[in-house]
Amino acid sequence: MKSGNISITYDKTSADRPLSLIRIRPAAGNSRRGWLTAGRRSIPVALGRGGIRANKREGDGGTPRGSFRARRLWWRADRSPRPRTLLPARAISSQDAWCEDVADRHYNRPIRLAPGRDGDRLKRGDHLYDFIVEIDHNTRPRVAGRGSAVFLHLARDNFGPTAGCVSMTRGAMLQLLRRLGPRTRIVIG
């Protein structure tokens, strides 16, 4: 019996292969805007109101500097069919939220909210969270106060700054999702 290597081949063009790396850098002259480079494509993004920060803190409005991985896609199934992606995906329900309470044992984790409980609700009236890519910022180890709910999500119409996330147009998000997988490194800074 031969010991063989398993090889992976792609029937599609390189434009359909999973990305190994995406880079997010600030735009010249505007720390609240930036460029996301994925393969040969660069797309404009909005960054946190505090720009990119090496020492991210809860509530500072900064987008964390570092190397991260995409963990999961959250999406509004009531607004869009499940997009094509290599990421695990979960439809957002009205009880889904993200814990931002530094004193809570669930800090920087998804939680289910009972009516009246606090948290960053994922099902919003606007379209910013129609697609959310959860990244592994401040997860291993999770340190209270080092920042929570840092996502890739949809941008405001005016590309206004985020609270610390990276945001983009819907079209750019859908194209990125097709090539984003759990092994894709997301380098910010």
Side-chain angles (χ1 to χ4, degrees):
M1 179 170 168
K2 289 184 180 179
S3 84
N5 293 330
I6 298 173
S7 65
I8 299 172
T9 59
Y10 294 93
D11 294 332
K12 300 187 180 196
T13 67
S14 64
D16 291 324
R17 290 184 190 150
L19 292 164
S20 60
L21 172 72
I22 64 172
R23 287 195 176 277
I24 300 163
R25 294 194 172 128
N30 187 347
S31 65
R32 296 175 174 190
R33 297 265 180 105
W35 292 96
L36 183 151
T37 304
R40 295 181 180 158
R41 185 182 163 118
S42 289
I43 59 170
V45 293
L47 301 171
R49 67 182 180 279
I52 295 176
R53 296 188 176 213
N55 192 18
K56 169 78 180 140
R57 295 286 180 198
E58 188 70 39
D60 67 2
T63 300
R65 176 183 309 275
S67 180
F68 309 100
R69 300 254 185 218
R71 297 183 78 179
R72 173 176 22 190
L73 167 69
W74 298 75
W75 96 99
R76 289 285 302 267
D78 59 325
R79 293 183 175 172
S80 176
R82 184 186 191 279
R84 199 172 109 206
T85 186
L86 300 168
L87 292 172
R90 178 173 168 180
I92 297 170
S93 78
S94 59
Q95 292 81 35
D96 287 323
W98 208 266
C99 183
E100 297 176 320
D101 181 352
V102 297
D104 192 307
R105 68 185 178 97
H106 299 293
Y107 175 70
N108 196 31
R109 286 187 180 169
I111 56 174
R112 306 279 288 173
L113 288 186
R117 185 169 177 211
D118 286 337
D120 184 8
R121 288 199 181 271
L122 301 184
K123 193 166 191 175
R124 298 170 53 125
D126 60 22
H127 292 278
L128 298 184
Y129 283 6
D130 284 3
F131 302 99
I132 303 169
V133 176
E134 174 187 343
I135 66 171
D136 66 356
H137 167 261
N138 192 24
T139 59
R140 290 189 178 144
R142 194 173 41 257
V143 178
R146 295 297 301 206
S148 63
V150 176
F151 308 127
L152 306 181
H153 64 72
L154 299 185
R156 291 179 171 82
D157 289 339
N158 65 357
F159 258 74
T162 69
C165 298
V166 175
S167 66
M168 64 200 73
T169 65
R170 178 185 172 94
M173 174 66 81
L174 291 172
Q175 286 186 348
L176 181 63
L177 284 173
R178 283 194 279 269
R179 299 200 51 211
L180 199 58
R183 292 184 160 179
T184 305
R185 278 189 335 139
I186 302 166
V187 176
I188 303 174

